[in-house]
Amino acid sequence: MADRKSIVTAALLILAAAQAPAFAAGDAGKGQGVFKEQCAECHSVEAGRNRKGPSLFGVLGRAPGSVADYEYSDAMKANAEAWSEARLNDYISHPRRVVPGGKMKYDGLDDAGDRADLIAYLATLH
Amino acid sequence: MSARFLSPTLRRTPGAGRFLASFLGTALAWLALAAPAHALPSFARQTGEECAACHIGAFGPQLTPHGMRFKLEGYSETDGKSGKIPLSAMLVASSGHSKADGNSTPSLQEASLFLGGRLADHLGAFVQATTDGHAQGKFSMDNVDVRYARTVDLKDGDLLLGLSLNNNPSVTDPLNTAPAWRFPYMSAELQETPSPLLAGGMEMQVGGANAYALWNNVYAELGLYRTLPSGFLNDVNVDLPDQKISGVAPYWRLAYLKDNHKDAWSVGLMGMNTKLVDRITGGPSDKYNDIGVDATYTYLGDRKNIFGLNAAYMHERQTLDASDDGAKVNLNRFDVSGSWHYDNTYGLTAGLFDTSGTGSENDSRGYILQADWTPWGKEGSWGAPWANVRLGVQYTGYTKLGNYDDKASDHNTLYGFIWTSF
């Protein structure tokens, strides 16, 4: 039993390790397509332009809930951890789980490759 | 958008060449007028979103899943900035040609004013007042849909609950298959083809109170309709119907909507049971039992190429105790359309309609082809988000028209329109 558990743990660790650098290696060009497909209806990438969600210009590295003229949920305002690549990856996978009570009505992007490309694209928005 | 206003008078003037020339002339004149107007479609202003976020092809009323959500949330979502005024306007100029009816001179087909958007938290309106070329500037009540909606956060996903007061069964529906909203979105509608009562037979003459819910992709709606009081209809310049609903007529809708962002699909059922009696004397009734099924598929991708497929079938059972000695009549109507939009700018749509039933007058069949150009309506496009315009050419071909004596194809109609909104 213990053996099987550790094999599973090891497999998960390997998977996690394989995924961790993936977003660094994402393709920003493809990521723009993913953005248009999944996010653009609610987010602009122009500074100062909010839609249903806040502008994602310069989102990488910024503090959550920090676009001045956007009305965030209390849950997002209370979320302290800055938007690193890893944190974005988590949030985009499971918005409701990572920021419970947040108001982003998005079920999550399942494909890890798409997320990596997307984050590479978000990193170019400065 | 309501059929009553879609019929330009066809006056006989010779030559299709002249028709084209005059159409282009008006097109340019309207463009020149529209360009500096810089007023702004109120939904885009309120949400900060481009027209293309909610509308396939960047022009109403064909909705994207995002647009459906905005409608169901009560037209009240905003970008959080205050000071938005929910007013819009729309102008349609058009011209048509058919062998049976000749040419129509290019003219203002309809003009509308809208109260469109958020009135308060969770409360929004889509209220249209329309005038056409023959009303001498007199506006009348068109589509009305006032909504209150709330979302309740449940553990996995949320529950959307809403109420609507409206004046046309299916005007509340989010899908592009709804009788009130399906292709063609703008047309000459020169030939009336048979339609179930639910599909436009009572528009503007009735008042409905509807409740709806969206949960786990399941949409359910129930509405109760009554004919509006004659005094009120007079006040809002709507023609009085000969018959009125006896009691209340229930309308119901059930649909499964799946939005994957990359694509979306839906399947649904819709029905209504209506008893109509003489508006003044009452007496025996005509019964209309309608039931319909519909399905949609939309491929959105990165929004460069958008494909849509919409199909709807409706069956109606009539028992005509009031108007035809208890005769029983069946009516079936099938509508299907496929569209392709490139860059939310160029659009091609093809549609088929087919009606059949008891009596040959109910047999009609035909097709509609449309090409259109929507230069604006995107973030960063010229004029956006101030004004939007669509130029379109539409050809309607009839292969069978059971309720007409002459050759069906003589009614084939070429129609051009310029549709602007501010």
Side-chain angles (χ1 to χ4, degrees):
Chain A
M1 248 0 223
D3 271 13
R4 202 176 292 165
K5 217 176 196 173
S6 52
I7 289 170
V8 171
T9 317
L12 281 176
L13 279 173
I14 290 168
L15 248 176
Q19 281 194 2
F23 37 74
D27 176 336
K30 276 195 209 150
Q32 185 175 21
V34 177
F35 184 83
K36 285 184 179 164
E37 194 178 288
Q38 300 287 330
C39 326
E41 60 195 29
C42 294
H43 291 288
S44 172
V45 294
E46 258 182 58
R49 184 179 274 281
N50 301 327
R51 292 182 176 171
K52 197 164 182 170
S55 166
L56 291 186
F57 179 80
V59 68
L60 200 73
R62 89 179 177 208
S66 57
V67 170
D69 59 357
Y70 181 80
E71 239 179 83
Y72 290 92
S73 64
D74 292 339
M76 185 59 82
K77 283 189 245 170
N79 164 25
E81 197 177 328
W83 291 121
S84 64
E85 291 183 344
R87 186 72 180 158
L88 275 174
N89 187 51
D90 285 350
Y91 184 53
I92 296 166
S93 316
H94 304 288
R96 288 176 217 276
R97 210 179 301 161
V98 174
V99 183
K103 63 173 190 174
M104 174 151 124
K105 310 263 181 251
Y106 180 72
D107 290 335
L109 184 58
D110 294 335
D111 187 308
D114 282 353
R115 289 201 303 272
D117 294 341
L118 179 58
I119 290 166
Y121 169 66
L122 292 177
T124 65
L125 304 172
H126 283 284
Chain B
M1 276 169 270
S2 73
R4 283 177 312 118
F5 298 108
L6 300 186
S7 316
T9 22
L10 289 189
R11 271 178 238 130
R12 286 178 191 278
T13 55
R18 213 170 115 190
F19 155 69
L20 255 185
S22 51
F23 175 66
L24 283 177
T26 347
L28 291 173
W30 273 110
L31 266 185
L33 261 179
H38 278 235
L40 135 131
S42 54
F43 287 155
R45 179 171 54 193
Q46 170 178 315
T47 57
E49 292 170 10
E50 49 187 4
C51 304
C54 288
H55 292 295
I56 292 172
F59 204 93
Q62 196 179 4
L63 294 177
T64 63
H66 187 67
M68 293 176 199
R69 183 96 208 169
F70 175 73
K71 180 172 180 176
L72 295 181
E73 284 174 352
Y75 309 112
S76 62
E77 285 293 315
T78 71
D79 62 358
K81 297 174 189 171
S82 55
K84 311 290 177 59
I85 301 162
L87 290 176
S88 267
M90 163 181 125
L91 288 168
V92 186
S94 69
S95 191
H97 169 84
S98 77
K99 195 166 164 196
D101 298 303
N103 284 343
S104 72
T105 40
S107 60
L108 177 69
Q109 179 175 338
E110 69 176 277
S112 293
L113 295 172
F114 294 89
L115 176 65
R118 182 180 179 277
L119 303 177
D121 279 354
H122 313 291
L123 182 69
F126 179 90
V127 176
Q128 184 180 9
T130 297
T131 182
D132 64 11
H134 331 298
Q136 278 132 15
K138 207 160 75 171
F139 278 82
S140 59
M141 176 177 74
D142 201 333
N143 294 305
V144 172
D145 179 17
V146 180
R147 287 177 187 248
Y148 180 82
R150 302 290 305 231
T151 351
V152 186
D153 259 311
L154 299 181
K155 214 157 105 215
D156 242 346
D158 39 42
L159 168 69
L160 177 73
L161 292 171
L163 298 169
S164 157
L165 293 177
N166 63 88
N167 66 348
N168 185 8
S170 91
V171 78
T172 48
D173 202 67
L175 288 160
N176 302 315
T177 39
W181 297 113
R182 66 178 163 228
F183 178 77
Y185 312 108
M186 183 56 69
S187 75
E189 294 232 344
L190 298 166
Q191 264 49 60
E192 289 274 338
T193 48
S195 246
L197 188 66
L198 160 49
M202 294 175 283
E203 57 180 14
M204 320 317 153
Q205 298 163 350
V206 294
N210 302 30
Y212 60 91
L214 178 65
W215 183 72
N216 260 341
N217 304 322
V218 176
Y219 176 75
E221 179 182 356
L222 184 68
L224 297 175
Y225 287 83
R226 292 200 65 143
T227 300
L228 290 166
S230 305
F232 175 79
L233 290 176
N234 276 329
D235 287 345
V236 296
N237 297 322
V238 171
D239 292 340
L240 296 181
D242 297 333
Q243 290 183 303
K244 66 172 183 195
I245 294 172
S246 159
V248 291
Y251 162 86
W252 57 270
R253 174 73 157 140
L254 207 56
Y256 185 85
L257 320 171
K258 183 73 179 128
D259 175 13
N260 302 312
H261 296 272
K262 184 177 192 164
D263 63 0
W265 58 271
S266 73
V267 288
L269 292 170
M270 173 184 284
M272 187 163 186
N273 296 336
T274 316
K275 253 195 222 172
L276 294 180
V277 296
D278 189 275
R279 183 170 54 83
I280 296 159
T281 60
S285 64
D286 290 337
K287 294 179 201 67
Y288 295 82
N289 292 331
D290 294 355
I291 185 157
V293 315
D294 64 296
T296 71
Y297 175 79
T298 312
Y299 174 83
L300 296 140
D302 64 3
R303 277 55 171 173
K304 196 83 183 163
N305 289 287
I306 300 178
F307 298 93
L309 202 56
N310 300 310
Y313 172 81
M314 194 169 277
H315 173 73
E316 179 170 85
R317 234 178 41 233
Q318 310 171 356
T319 308
L320 305 175
D321 289 326
S323 58
D324 200 3
D325 270 341
K328 294 199 190 310
V329 174
N330 285 321
L331 179 63
N332 306 302
R333 185 173 174 110
F334 178 65
D335 286 273
V336 60
S337 72
S339 64
W340 170 49
H341 285 87
Y342 177 73
D343 223 3
N344 273 312
T345 303
Y346 303 96
L348 290 175
T349 309
L352 290 172
F353 55 87
D354 182 287
T355 69
S356 63
T358 316
S360 60
E361 71 277 8
N362 279 332
D363 286 338
S364 73
R365 190 170 306 141
Y367 57 91
I368 305 174
L369 304 171
Q370 179 173 317
D372 51 58
W373 179 51
T374 309
W376 307 333
K378 277 74 72 181
E379 186 173 279
S381 63
W382 194 89
W386 310 100
N388 203 356
V389 64
R390 166 170 286 180
L391 275 74
V393 192
Q394 190 182 85
Y395 186 78
T396 306
Y398 300 92
T399 52
K400 200 183 253 180
L401 266 180
N403 47 349
Y404 286 79
D405 292 333
D406 50 356
K407 223 169 94 194
S409 62
D410 285 354
H411 294 272
N412 291 3
T413 303
L414 178 66
Y415 166 77
F417 62 87
I418 303 155
W419 190 352
T420 58
S421 61
F422 312 98

